[in-house]
Amino acid sequence: MTNHIALYEPLMPANTGNIARTCAGTNTKLHLIRPLGFNTDDAHMKRAGLDYWDKVDITYHDNLDAFLKSIPDDKYLYLITKFSDKVYSDQDLSDTSVDHYFLFGKETTGLPEDFMRRNPEKCLRIPMSDNIRALNLSNSAALVIYEAVRQQHFAGLELSHHYEHDKLD
């Protein structure tokens, strides 16, 4: 079982870098769907991911269709959008025998409306007030992936950490 975060045409390198760091910390695969709004050598993106880039499994897709074709079973594809009545934390993400895919839209316009309208059963919402259009993309990705790993009992993640001097030889 693997969790996957997919970013549809991300525009801001810092968001992508922060999400890559979250992916490294949760053993989550990252999918970037072109076109990207930045060069992957961008200093802001590299800085946001710090020195964790070698720990991130990244796959690039030429477009949304190519990404969708790469998914073995779209039953476990979730579209994260404000246009849904289903709350992300109410979704059962506990099955560790399958791969879960969380698709996020670009920072300015989200996912294509026609695509979401064709797949309303896959749409999940993060509750928020109407004071803002949307939460920050990297914050949204962190909320959703940590809900998934929480439901999966943090499988494969370190539940406690000790200072060096506390470790037994």
Side-chain angles (χ1 to χ4, degrees):
M1 175 287 305
T2 304
N3 289 309
H4 302 257
I5 289 177
L7 304 180
Y8 171 77
E9 300 183 0
L11 296 171
M12 298 177 187
N15 280 337
T16 301
N18 287 331
I19 292 167
R21 185 176 181 171
T22 297
C23 287
T26 57
N27 298 318
T28 298
K29 291 187 178 184
L30 178 60
H31 299 262
L32 299 180
I33 302 168
R34 293 182 177 110
L36 309 180
F38 50 86
N39 182 314
T40 54
D41 293 334
D42 188 288
H44 290 93
M45 185 171 128
K46 291 207 181 295
R47 191 174 314 119
L50 296 174
D51 56 350
Y52 304 109
W53 287 104
D54 63 325
K55 311 265 189 301
V56 182
D57 184 352
I58 301 177
T59 302
Y60 294 88
H61 303 274
D62 287 335
N63 53 47
L64 183 57
D65 287 337
F67 165 71
L68 294 172
K69 287 176 184 168
S70 76
I71 299 174
D73 185 353
D74 75 349
K75 177 181 176 185
Y76 300 99
L77 170 65
Y78 307 100
L79 313 180
I80 310 303
T81 174
K82 67 181 185 178
F83 300 104
S84 179
D85 295 329
K86 293 189 291 187
V87 175
Y88 77 104
S89 56
D90 292 341
Q91 181 67 42
D92 182 0
L93 305 169
S94 63
D95 189 347
T96 58
S97 68
V98 299
D99 285 8
H100 297 271
Y101 291 82
F102 304 98
L103 177 58
F104 295 84
K106 71 168 82 175
E107 291 93 337
T108 54
T109 57
L111 292 167
E113 184 178 342
D114 61 329
F115 175 65
M116 290 189 300
R117 286 186 183 273
R118 288 192 313 268
N119 296 283
E121 73 287 356
K122 296 180 181 315
C123 294
L124 299 177
R125 175 183 174 80
I126 299 171
M128 68 186 103
S129 74
D130 62 358
N131 293 329
I132 58 173
R133 284 187 313 278
L135 294 173
N136 173 274
L137 178 61
S138 62
N139 292 338
S140 297
L143 282 168
V144 171
I145 201 61
Y146 267 95
E147 175 61 21
V149 297
R150 182 195 68 79
Q151 288 187 29
Q152 297 159 7
H153 305 285
F154 300 102
L157 302 183
E158 189 177 78
L159 293 178
S160 63
H161 191 76
H162 303 282
Y163 293 107
E164 270 310 303
H165 69 276
D166 291 342
K167 291 186 179 177
L168 298 175
D169 292 47

